[in-house]
Amino acid sequence: MGKVTLLLLFVLLAFANAAPRFDCLPEPNGNQGACEARGCIWKEDDTGKNAPWCYFKDGVGYNLDSQQGSTYNLRKNGGPSNPWGADSTEIKLTTKSIGSVLNVKIGIDGRYEPPVDFPRETQSSTESLSLSTSFSNGVFSFSVVRQSTNRKLFDTSIGGLIFSDQFIQIATYLPSENMYGWGENTHQSLRHDFTKYLTWAMFARDQPPNSGSLDTVNLYGVHPYYMILEPDGKAHGVLIINSNAQEVTTAPGPSLIYRTIGGNLDMYFFPGPTPEMVTQQYLKFIGKPFLPAYWALGYQLSRYGYKGLAEMKTRIQAVRDAGIPIDIGVADIDYMQRYKDFTTGDDWAGFSDYVKTMHDWGMKLILIFDPAIEATYPSFQRAIAANAKFIEWETKAQVQTAIQNLYPMAKDTKIMLGVVWPDNHVAFPDFLDSTNNTQNWWINEFVNYQSQVAFDGIWIDMNEPSNFGTNQDHPWYFDSDDHPNDAPLFCPTNGSSPWEMPPYKTRAVWRFGDANSGAFLSSNTLCMLAQQDGGKQRFYNVKNLYGLTEAINTQKALFKATGKRGAVVSRSTYPSAGRYAGHWLGDNTARWEDLRTSVIGAQEFNLFGIPYVGSDVCGFIGTTTEELCLRWQQMGAFHSFFRNHNTIGAPAQDPAVWPSVAAATKKANLFRYQYLPYLFSLHFTASLSGATVIRPVFFEYPTDAETFNLGYEFMWGSRILVAPVIYQGTTSVNAYLPTDRWYSLFDYRYGSIMSPGYATVPAPTTSRIPVFVRGYSVIPRQTPSITTTATRSNPFELLIAPCPLGMGEGTLYWDDGETIVNDFNSYDYHQFDFMYNSTATGGSVTITHSKKSSKISLPTLDIIEIFNYPSAPNFRSFTINGKLVNVNVQRSTYSGITKILYISTEGLVNLSSADSIVLQWSNAGNSMFDISSASSDEVGKMKALNTNRYDELYF
Ligand SMILES: *[C@@H]1O[C@H](CO)[C@@H](O)[C@H](O)[C@H]1NC(C)=O
Ligand SMILES: *[C@@H]1O[C@H](CO)[C@@H](O)[C@H](O)[C@H]1NC(C)=O
Ligand SMILES: *[C@@H]1O[C@H](CO)[C@@H](O)[C@H](O)[C@H]1NC(C)=O
Ligand SMILES: *[C@@H]1O[C@H](CO)[C@@H](O)[C@H](O)[C@H]1NC(C)=O
């Protein structure tokens, strides 16, 4: 054993021996007296690791009482008890395999289980996981072991298992520090940080992301899911199905401590072994993402604070006049009559006519809808008449009658009234209502409103759900000109309700202080004791499902109202929300830090199964700058959900405001629109079989340590890599390319081979941000126009980026862009698989029509661009299935310098002409189109030809 190995072993032992500290006093303002009164140890942390100063004595846990098959009966041991309620004496651990997924469930039968309909579809794996148990020092523990490597993926021998009614804790050693996921939080790095203790809160909250500094605050959604990349590059995922307020502490070891205040510990382990396979297994289990309408991948312009329809029209016109591709106008709550859903404001007369005009232009409209319904107007009246349900108080005695009596329709009900944007109190639809009355009423409201304003997509906001001023004597809106002083909701926080004031409140509360500083679980939302589904569900348990259940109901409403699949985007999400909706990363701020965290956030939501995701481009809160907006437009053009959005009162920030931003956006959007067939095919794959669209680089290079925390680069599927500009004042990017064949797909040395490793590449504001295409790729694209609607009828193109052996492949999925997908087995679409190869004597492209639609028409394939083509082809030698074709030699070029072969001929390939199409050619003996031997005249002509192609600078 060498010195280094010895040292390593010593370090490992030191870590293993460093007793983990389980926080015994996470409440604010703890002190030694309070700690010791709990029977815990008080010891300052002098390691700089932010360890808790008050922690449990050793021996917390359970004994193994008995075992029957895969059920382990556990009994509380003699170790320390927890200070937040009586430890459950007997709990059960059961384990089972669901396909390749291993389920380990710890808890008590009959306790709350999240009412979420996960499909639990399985995907086979070459890997298998097993459970092993052990018992030492009076503590039962288990581990989940990967059979192929014998590695422990989860190992609870660290101790700390606690189970009581309202406080549950489990801890584990982790096999690697390369952990990703958990949400929704703002992560400043893609990979978690195990150098110190950090506790991340998970409880849906109307909380703008704080990207300015490390902040473990909980945001809009909850995702108890993580992925770990193991030391050998294999990956696994872990889902905990629990919907209560919860938190996770990442700690040195590496280890994690998960705590929740209800339900059971229902854990699912996904074996991978690749990161993408983990994602596929996870998405099949929770539900694969919905397929957005094709147009939903277009560019969206939005703002909060349009003064009326006229301003919306002006800004959309300005963007169109600047020649910037744009598909979608988005209206925020301004369009409503005093912020009431399903109404149109006075300053929006003519909205329906304008929507017709937009539709004539090939554009679409997305409208915002909040869940809360004012208790005064016809929508509410229809709800009551239809026996729709709203979130309710538990008993009549709890009702705030002074508020209730203001509203005749709510007067004798238990409906819990709150305050959101409308002028009067609001009620919150109960989307868990199992009678379907609520769902049917909700759908009808959308159907009715759609016949007035023909929206195409739905944006659901405020669905944590958010309530203004809960438990506050003087809420912020008392000081707002635009909001009446409605009496706020008060929840019984005096300790009379175990739901309202549970013993352990989680970091979601303590991040903001304690009761003395007005921090409660019900802050910004409804009372925890509220009930849903006729008393069957407690808000304390199901609050985190509100956004998910609203999304389920709203997708149905969209389908019914429009007859098309459109798109729904939701602020609050939970595992499986991606089946019904996309997500935007919330009310960010116009800062460079927020641009950076949004690059990470979009990758995380792809791990969570919500690939239709993006940020508010240019920043929502605050005033953006020309440079920041420009860079954000350039980066956002690579996110699936691509929307410029701004807050009320801030200056306009659509790209037409600044000529430089307009030019950069036009260029970025033209690229996006050109590559939409590829982006769409990625979404199609994600919906069909579960996949990421935006993908962390390590997904493709899981043994390249340089990629493990490369959060500011990302991939489009497996073939395109993006390295955006994310720092102020920079005009270059130090981009990392993993060992592989790469080509530049941006202005700098377009089409040429880029060496792997780090390289500083130029990225002036006038250039496309650095984009690279990987060897062995055939990328479907399309000549871009100003809308996706127009683009869809333009000719197809193929970009071929060969591997060193001169080969490549790729796939195109193509449908009508809007039909609702009920079942892919009976769904009407085309699939084409492309193969490319070349030799010293020629090249070929084989197109296999793997799945055919009789109805969906297809543009012809007119352009094929091939990088690193070794020598000039004979343009007169092209054949399709053996028959000679005329290649347009005026438009087709080959350069011996750039090695780009560009074949352009109108109607070159009729994609529906045969099931298998082979386009083949041979190389010329002499280089008749070799730029190196061409006269300066010819070079000029070719440059002109090339620069005319969609504003690209190919030279
Ligand atoms: C509610 O609607 C679903 C279909 O959306 C149906 O399967 C279910 O039976 C309905 N439930 C009731 C109580 O009518
Ligand atoms: C707590 O407040 C509720 C009403 O909000 C009241 O009915 C109850 O008596 C109070 N309990 C205590 C212990 O003060
Ligand atoms: C392409 O590959 C196939 C199979 O390896 C081979 O038969 C064919 O000749 C190749 N075509 C060219 C043009 O190299
Ligand atoms: C393409 O081929 C199909 C099948 O042979 C034919 O029906 C169609 O008319 C062709 N399209 C064009 C544009 O030639």
Side-chain angles (χ1 to χ4, degrees), residues 837-839 842-844 920:
N837 70 10
S838 70
T839 61
S844 71
Q920 231 172 338

PDB file of all heavy atoms in Angstrom, residues 837-839 842-844 920, ligand 3:
ATOM      1  N   ASN A 837     -23.053   8.043 -44.298  1.00  0.00           N
ATOM      2  CA  ASN A 837     -21.652   7.615 -44.273  1.00  0.00           C
ATOM      3  C   ASN A 837     -20.930   8.078 -45.533  1.00  0.00           C
ATOM      4  O   ASN A 837     -21.559   8.460 -46.520  1.00  0.00           O
ATOM      5  CB  ASN A 837     -21.472   6.125 -43.983  1.00  0.00           C
ATOM      6  CG  ASN A 837     -21.923   5.219 -45.110  1.00  0.00           C
ATOM      7  OD1 ASN A 837     -22.223   5.671 -46.211  1.00  0.00           O
ATOM      8  ND2 ASN A 837     -21.944   3.920 -44.814  1.00  0.00           N
ATOM      9  N   SER A 838     -19.644   8.089 -45.420  1.00  0.00           N
ATOM     10  CA  SER A 838     -18.863   8.538 -46.570  1.00  0.00           C
ATOM     11  C   SER A 838     -17.557   7.768 -46.596  1.00  0.00           C
ATOM     12  O   SER A 838     -17.090   7.263 -45.567  1.00  0.00           O
ATOM     13  CB  SER A 838     -18.584  10.031 -46.482  1.00  0.00           C
ATOM     14  OG  SER A 838     -17.679  10.294 -45.448  1.00  0.00           O
ATOM     15  N   THR A 839     -17.010   7.669 -47.763  1.00  0.00           N
ATOM     16  CA  THR A 839     -15.704   7.031 -47.919  1.00  0.00           C
ATOM     17  C   THR A 839     -14.869   7.953 -48.790  1.00  0.00           C
ATOM     18  O   THR A 839     -15.330   9.038 -49.159  1.00  0.00           O
ATOM     19  CB  THR A 839     -15.845   5.671 -48.621  1.00  0.00           C
ATOM     20  OG1 THR A 839     -16.397   5.926 -49.921  1.00  0.00           O
ATOM     21  CG2 THR A 839     -16.743   4.725 -47.854  1.00  0.00           C
ATOM     22  N   GLY A 842     -16.979   8.608 -52.026  1.00  0.00           N
ATOM     23  CA  GLY A 842     -18.298   9.238 -52.108  1.00  0.00           C
ATOM     24  C   GLY A 842     -19.024   9.211 -50.782  1.00  0.00           C
ATOM     25  O   GLY A 842     -18.434   8.891 -49.747  1.00  0.00           O
ATOM     26  N   GLY A 843     -20.298   9.557 -50.843  1.00  0.00           N
ATOM     27  CA  GLY A 843     -21.072   9.601 -49.610  1.00  0.00           C
ATOM     28  C   GLY A 843     -22.500   9.156 -49.842  1.00  0.00           C
ATOM     29  O   GLY A 843     -22.944   9.031 -50.992  1.00  0.00           O
ATOM     30  N   SER A 844     -23.212   8.908 -48.745  1.00  0.00           N
ATOM     31  CA  SER A 844     -24.615   8.534 -48.891  1.00  0.00           C
ATOM     32  C   SER A 844     -25.409   8.944 -47.658  1.00  0.00           C
ATOM     33  O   SER A 844     -24.880   8.993 -46.547  1.00  0.00           O
ATOM     34  CB  SER A 844     -24.736   7.033 -49.123  1.00  0.00           C
ATOM     35  OG  SER A 844     -24.431   6.348 -47.930  1.00  0.00           O
ATOM     36  N   GLN A 920     -27.150   9.084 -52.924  1.00  0.00           N
ATOM     37  CA  GLN A 920     -25.756   8.654 -52.996  1.00  0.00           C
ATOM     38  C   GLN A 920     -25.012   9.492 -54.021  1.00  0.00           C
ATOM     39  O   GLN A 920     -25.616   9.973 -54.983  1.00  0.00           O
ATOM     40  CB  GLN A 920     -25.718   7.193 -53.454  1.00  0.00           C
ATOM     41  CG  GLN A 920     -24.886   6.333 -52.574  1.00  0.00           C
ATOM     42  CD  GLN A 920     -25.033   4.860 -52.935  1.00  0.00           C
ATOM     43  OE1 GLN A 920     -26.020   4.459 -53.549  1.00  0.00           O
ATOM     44  NE2 GLN A 920     -24.053   4.081 -52.549  1.00  0.00           N
TER      45      GLN A 920
HETATM   46  C1  LIG B   3     -22.176   3.037 -46.119  1.00  0.00           C
HETATM   47  O1  LIG B   3     -22.119   1.969 -45.232  1.00  0.00           O
HETATM   48  C2  LIG B   3     -22.614   0.759 -45.739  1.00  0.00           C
HETATM   49  C3  LIG B   3     -22.572  -0.256 -44.647  1.00  0.00           C
HETATM   50  O2  LIG B   3     -21.367  -0.193 -43.958  1.00  0.00           O
HETATM   51  C4  LIG B   3     -21.828   0.323 -46.964  1.00  0.00           C
HETATM   52  O3  LIG B   3     -22.371  -0.844 -47.496  1.00  0.00           O
HETATM   53  C5  LIG B   3     -21.874   1.414 -47.979  1.00  0.00           C
HETATM   54  O4  LIG B   3     -21.082   1.087 -49.050  1.00  0.00           O
HETATM   55  C6  LIG B   3     -21.429   2.716 -47.376  1.00  0.00           C
HETATM   56  N1  LIG B   3     -21.643   3.760 -48.339  1.00  0.00           N
HETATM   57  C7  LIG B   3     -20.717   4.652 -48.617  1.00  0.00           C
HETATM   58  C8  LIG B   3     -21.065   5.658 -49.626  1.00  0.00           C
HETATM   59  O5  LIG B   3     -19.646   4.646 -48.059  1.00  0.00           O
END
